[in-house]
Amino acid sequence: MPTVPYLVRPLRLAGPGDQRLVTGQLASAPGWSRARTADGAALFTSPCRTTVFTSSGPPETPSTWSVHGYTTSGSEALWSAVFSPGTPAEITAGFTAVLVDGLRSGHRDYLLGGPHHLDCTPGSVLADRGWQPTPGPKGFHDQVAPDGTARYRHRVGHQPSDEEIAGLVPPSWSMIVDDPQHPFWHADFSIGVPFYPLVRAALAFSSAEPVERPLGGIPARHLPYVTARRAPTPALARPQRARIPQGTAVPPAALPVPGGARRR
């Protein structure tokens, strides 16, 4: 019997979803190479060899996605982004789409006035969507979702970037779902991470647009906090499955919101 799809919101609580949203982008990106490790993990490398995506296991299953940026091939990593198991694929894909699209121009197309410009910041995106500032642990600033189920954490002050990339000190930015001490999923970004992919991830992280999931794909602990309804049958006008269309960096579940850059 086919699995009945549901339209679920908010995205951040909907479950990991279809990892092919991520792998499909990377596999079809011009010039990107793909390899596999002995344990089945996938490695995708940009044509300029300055960006590498790695999955912690077979990429078709929910897994950790790690992204590292380099000045040149073989150099020390400049920045990192890590999406833990359980991260909704649309959030990872939102980051990936802008990162891949922007590499060819150094993300200059996303500057104000460019063809894909984003005139907002992660902090202003969340503020516009009702996320409230709240004190975090010492040295951190948090913004908490209206339903209290997630937070965006920004580290204040300087720390060595190499220690941050190595995981020896806390990341500069984190997206955290559920209890910060025991999150259901989290995404961590080091200092130096490209700004516009981070903005796009924040747009997806805070999106209230529904995404398609099988009912069994919604984490049980999130059922009290989500809205889920059966998707329309094919005979009716049915919304498209959330995806990243070819040639664009704007996933349907992460469209920009109005508002100028006010904070981080």
Side-chain angles (χ1 to χ4, degrees):
M1 180 176 178
T3 302
V4 177
Y6 280 73
L7 296 177
V8 184
R9 65 173 73 188
L11 165 61
R12 61 183 173 273
L13 303 180
D18 189 346
Q19 298 301 304
R20 290 175 296 181
L21 283 175
V22 183
T23 57
Q25 289 178 357
L26 297 169
S28 63
W32 283 66
S33 61
R34 179 175 184 171
R36 282 191 182 273
T37 63
D39 63 357
L43 285 83
F44 295 89
T45 305
S46 66
C48 56
R49 307 193 70 77
T50 62
T51 306
V52 177
F53 282 77
T54 310
S55 73
S56 63
E60 294 77 15
T61 60
S63 60
T64 297
W65 281 100
S66 301
V67 194
H68 289 86
Y70 304 86
T71 304
T72 59
S73 177
S75 64
E76 293 292 324
L78 284 177
W79 58 266
S80 67
V82 179
F83 301 85
S84 79
T87 303
E90 292 86 351
I91 294 176
T92 308
F95 179 90
T96 302
V98 175
L99 182 65
V100 170
D101 182 69
L103 279 176
R104 65 175 183 271
S105 70
H107 292 93
R108 287 187 295 273
D109 288 348
Y110 293 87
L111 297 173
L112 191 62
H116 307 302
H117 78 272
L118 296 172
D119 59 349
C120 51
T121 68
S124 70
V125 165
L126 301 176
D128 286 340
R129 293 177 170 181
W131 291 52
Q132 295 297 314
T134 187
K138 184 178 180 180
F140 293 87
H141 172 84
D142 286 3
Q143 284 175 272
V144 177
D147 62 5
T149 61
R151 65 185 59 217
Y152 175 73
R153 175 164 290 173
H154 168 65
R155 179 182 50 76
V156 180
H158 172 76
Q159 61 188 13
S161 61
D162 56 341
E163 293 184 14
E164 188 176 352
I165 293 169
L168 301 177
V169 293
S172 290
W173 299 279
S174 293
M175 298 175 184
I176 304 168
V177 166
D178 291 346
D179 179 0
Q181 300 301 317
H182 303 94
F184 180 77
W185 69 262
H186 60 94
D188 299 324
F189 308 88
S190 78
I191 194 71
V193 71
F195 176 73
Y196 298 106
L198 180 58
V199 171
R200 186 65 71 202
L203 285 162
F205 182 45
S206 57
S207 174
E209 293 299 313
V211 292
E212 203 168 277
R213 295 286 191 271
L215 190 60
I218 306 170
R221 63 198 283 184
H222 293 162
L223 288 174
Y225 306 102
V226 302
T227 299
R229 61 183 177 86
R230 289 184 65 161
T233 63
L236 302 175
R238 178 176 173 175
Q240 286 189 330
R241 181 187 297 270
R243 61 188 180 89
I244 311 298
Q246 186 75 16
T248 181
V250 186
L255 294 176
V257 295
R262 296 198 302 271
R263 58 199 302 177
R264 290 172 297 280

mmCIF file of all heavy atoms in Angstrom, residues 26 51 68 92 106 109 145 147 149 154 165 182 184 198 203 220 231 246 254-255 260:
data_model
loop_
_atom_site.group_PDB
_atom_site.id
_atom_site.type_symbol
_atom_site.label_atom_id
_atom_site.label_comp_id
_atom_site.label_asym_id
_atom_site.label_seq_id
_atom_site.Cartn_x
_atom_site.Cartn_y
_atom_site.Cartn_z
ATOM 1 N N LEU A 26 24.094 18.311 -5.800
ATOM 2 C CA LEU A 26 25.538 18.134 -5.946
ATOM 3 C C LEU A 26 25.868 17.255 -7.148
ATOM 4 O O LEU A 26 26.838 17.517 -7.867
ATOM 5 C CB LEU A 26 26.103 17.524 -4.664
ATOM 6 C CG LEU A 26 25.959 18.399 -3.419
ATOM 7 C CD1 LEU A 26 26.300 17.605 -2.165
ATOM 8 C CD2 LEU A 26 26.835 19.639 -3.524
ATOM 9 N N THR A 51 35.749 23.510 -2.110
ATOM 10 C CA THR A 51 34.608 23.152 -1.275
ATOM 11 C C THR A 51 34.377 21.654 -1.375
ATOM 12 O O THR A 51 34.348 21.095 -2.476
ATOM 13 C CB THR A 51 33.333 23.890 -1.726
ATOM 14 O OG1 THR A 51 33.588 25.295 -1.756
ATOM 15 C CG2 THR A 51 32.186 23.610 -0.765
ATOM 16 N N HIS A 68 33.293 21.699 4.076
ATOM 17 C CA HIS A 68 34.511 22.434 4.404
ATOM 18 C C HIS A 68 34.923 23.290 3.220
ATOM 19 O O HIS A 68 34.810 22.869 2.064
ATOM 20 C CB HIS A 68 35.650 21.470 4.767
ATOM 21 C CG HIS A 68 35.460 20.802 6.095
ATOM 22 N ND1 HIS A 68 34.731 19.641 6.256
ATOM 23 C CD2 HIS A 68 35.898 21.145 7.338
ATOM 24 C CE1 HIS A 68 34.725 19.291 7.528
ATOM 25 N NE2 HIS A 68 35.419 20.181 8.199
ATOM 26 N N THR A 92 19.384 21.769 4.741
ATOM 27 C CA THR A 92 20.704 21.507 4.163
ATOM 28 C C THR A 92 20.732 21.906 2.699
ATOM 29 O O THR A 92 21.699 22.511 2.221
ATOM 30 C CB THR A 92 21.064 20.018 4.306
ATOM 31 O OG1 THR A 92 20.897 19.607 5.662
ATOM 32 C CG2 THR A 92 22.502 19.755 3.879
ATOM 33 N N GLY A 106 32.084 34.021 -6.467
ATOM 34 C CA GLY A 106 32.439 34.415 -5.112
ATOM 35 C C GLY A 106 31.258 34.999 -4.365
ATOM 36 O O GLY A 106 31.418 35.818 -3.462
ATOM 37 N N ASP A 109 26.938 37.671 -6.815
ATOM 38 C CA ASP A 109 25.568 37.793 -7.322
ATOM 39 C C ASP A 109 24.558 38.003 -6.200
ATOM 40 O O ASP A 109 23.428 38.424 -6.454
ATOM 41 C CB ASP A 109 25.171 36.531 -8.100
ATOM 42 C CG ASP A 109 25.875 36.425 -9.443
ATOM 43 O OD1 ASP A 109 26.480 37.431 -9.870
ATOM 44 O OD2 ASP A 109 25.818 35.348 -10.058
ATOM 45 N N ALA A 145 12.414 30.474 18.771
ATOM 46 C CA ALA A 145 11.234 30.400 17.916
ATOM 47 C C ALA A 145 9.975 30.719 18.710
ATOM 48 O O ALA A 145 9.916 30.495 19.923
ATOM 49 C CB ALA A 145 11.119 29.001 17.306
ATOM 50 N N ASP A 147 7.257 29.164 19.009
ATOM 51 C CA ASP A 147 6.707 28.004 19.718
ATOM 52 C C ASP A 147 7.675 27.426 20.744
ATOM 53 O O ASP A 147 7.372 26.432 21.409
ATOM 54 C CB ASP A 147 6.279 26.914 18.727
ATOM 55 C CG ASP A 147 7.438 26.368 17.897
ATOM 56 O OD1 ASP A 147 8.602 26.757 18.138
ATOM 57 O OD2 ASP A 147 7.173 25.555 16.984
ATOM 58 N N THR A 149 10.392 25.787 20.365
ATOM 59 C CA THR A 149 10.986 24.480 20.060
ATOM 60 C C THR A 149 12.374 24.570 19.435
ATOM 61 O O THR A 149 13.007 23.537 19.221
ATOM 62 C CB THR A 149 10.085 23.694 19.093
ATOM 63 O OG1 THR A 149 9.957 24.431 17.865
ATOM 64 C CG2 THR A 149 8.710 23.456 19.699
ATOM 65 N N HIS A 154 24.214 32.541 18.544
ATOM 66 C CA HIS A 154 25.349 33.276 17.988
ATOM 67 C C HIS A 154 26.394 33.484 19.082
ATOM 68 O O HIS A 154 26.079 33.986 20.163
ATOM 69 C CB HIS A 154 24.882 34.632 17.450
ATOM 70 C CG HIS A 154 25.990 35.574 17.107
ATOM 71 N ND1 HIS A 154 26.886 35.321 16.104
ATOM 72 C CD2 HIS A 154 26.349 36.767 17.644
ATOM 73 C CE1 HIS A 154 27.758 36.318 16.024
ATOM 74 N NE2 HIS A 154 27.454 37.199 16.946
ATOM 75 N N ILE A 165 36.970 24.864 13.831
ATOM 76 C CA ILE A 165 36.758 23.864 12.779
ATOM 77 C C ILE A 165 37.042 22.463 13.303
ATOM 78 O O ILE A 165 36.362 21.497 12.934
ATOM 79 C CB ILE A 165 37.638 24.197 11.552
ATOM 80 C CG1 ILE A 165 37.148 25.495 10.899
ATOM 81 C CG2 ILE A 165 37.623 23.058 10.539
ATOM 82 C CD1 ILE A 165 38.087 26.045 9.856
ATOM 83 N N HIS A 182 20.257 18.449 24.657
ATOM 84 C CA HIS A 182 19.947 17.179 23.999
ATOM 85 C C HIS A 182 19.108 17.470 22.747
ATOM 86 O O HIS A 182 17.925 17.092 22.695
ATOM 87 C CB HIS A 182 19.206 16.234 24.947
ATOM 88 C CG HIS A 182 19.953 15.943 26.214
ATOM 89 N ND1 HIS A 182 19.743 16.658 27.374
ATOM 90 C CD2 HIS A 182 20.919 15.026 26.491
ATOM 91 C CE1 HIS A 182 20.541 16.201 28.324
ATOM 92 N NE2 HIS A 182 21.267 15.206 27.821
ATOM 93 N N PHE A 184 17.340 17.449 19.110
ATOM 94 C CA PHE A 184 16.946 16.422 18.147
ATOM 95 C C PHE A 184 17.831 16.511 16.910
ATOM 96 O O PHE A 184 18.236 15.503 16.345
ATOM 97 C CB PHE A 184 15.479 16.585 17.757
ATOM 98 C CG PHE A 184 15.020 15.546 16.770
ATOM 99 C CD1 PHE A 184 14.735 14.256 17.191
ATOM 100 C CD2 PHE A 184 14.905 15.837 15.418
ATOM 101 C CE1 PHE A 184 14.335 13.277 16.287
ATOM 102 C CE2 PHE A 184 14.497 14.870 14.509
ATOM 103 C CZ PHE A 184 14.216 13.591 14.940
ATOM 104 N N LEU A 198 24.374 30.893 4.636
ATOM 105 C CA LEU A 198 23.890 30.895 6.014
ATOM 106 C C LEU A 198 22.535 31.598 6.110
ATOM 107 O O LEU A 198 21.625 31.133 6.817
ATOM 108 C CB LEU A 198 24.917 31.579 6.926
ATOM 109 C CG LEU A 198 24.568 31.678 8.415
ATOM 110 C CD1 LEU A 198 24.326 30.308 9.009
ATOM 111 C CD2 LEU A 198 25.671 32.415 9.176
ATOM 112 N N LEU A 203 16.505 31.120 6.512
ATOM 113 C CA LEU A 203 15.180 31.257 5.910
ATOM 114 C C LEU A 203 14.426 29.928 5.960
ATOM 115 O O LEU A 203 13.241 29.878 6.289
ATOM 116 C CB LEU A 203 15.311 31.743 4.463
ATOM 117 C CG LEU A 203 15.654 33.225 4.279
ATOM 118 C CD1 LEU A 203 16.178 33.486 2.869
ATOM 119 C CD2 LEU A 203 14.428 34.094 4.540
ATOM 120 N N ALA A 220 8.208 11.454 16.459
ATOM 121 C CA ALA A 220 7.117 11.329 17.427
ATOM 122 C C ALA A 220 7.151 12.452 18.461
ATOM 123 O O ALA A 220 6.093 12.963 18.871
ATOM 124 C CB ALA A 220 7.199 9.960 18.118
ATOM 125 N N ALA A 231 -2.036 15.406 2.133
ATOM 126 C CA ALA A 231 -1.849 16.147 0.888
ATOM 127 C C ALA A 231 -3.019 15.869 -0.043
ATOM 128 O O ALA A 231 -3.621 14.778 -0.006
ATOM 129 C CB ALA A 231 -0.536 15.731 0.228
ATOM 130 N N GLN A 246 16.107 23.270 -10.778
ATOM 131 C CA GLN A 246 17.370 23.413 -11.490
ATOM 132 C C GLN A 246 17.609 24.877 -11.835
ATOM 133 O O GLN A 246 16.726 25.578 -12.297
ATOM 134 C CB GLN A 246 17.309 22.603 -12.796
ATOM 135 C CG GLN A 246 18.621 22.554 -13.564
ATOM 136 C CD GLN A 246 19.622 21.620 -12.919
ATOM 137 O OE1 GLN A 246 19.246 20.806 -12.099
ATOM 138 N NE2 GLN A 246 20.875 21.735 -13.280
ATOM 139 N N ALA A 254 11.849 28.143 1.477
ATOM 140 C CA ALA A 254 12.764 29.101 2.094
ATOM 141 C C ALA A 254 12.799 30.397 1.325
ATOM 142 O O ALA A 254 13.847 30.942 1.042
ATOM 143 C CB ALA A 254 14.171 28.500 2.178
ATOM 144 N N LEU A 255 11.661 30.912 0.928
ATOM 145 C CA LEU A 255 11.629 32.147 0.173
ATOM 146 C C LEU A 255 11.976 33.320 1.078
ATOM 147 O O LEU A 255 11.653 33.328 2.256
ATOM 148 C CB LEU A 255 10.240 32.356 -0.435
ATOM 149 C CG LEU A 255 9.856 31.318 -1.493
ATOM 150 C CD1 LEU A 255 8.423 31.562 -1.943
ATOM 151 C CD2 LEU A 255 10.793 31.401 -2.683
ATOM 152 N N GLY A 260 14.997 44.902 5.954
ATOM 153 C CA GLY A 260 16.396 45.197 5.745
ATOM 154 C C GLY A 260 17.264 44.497 6.750
ATOM 155 O O GLY A 260 16.803 43.918 7.729
#
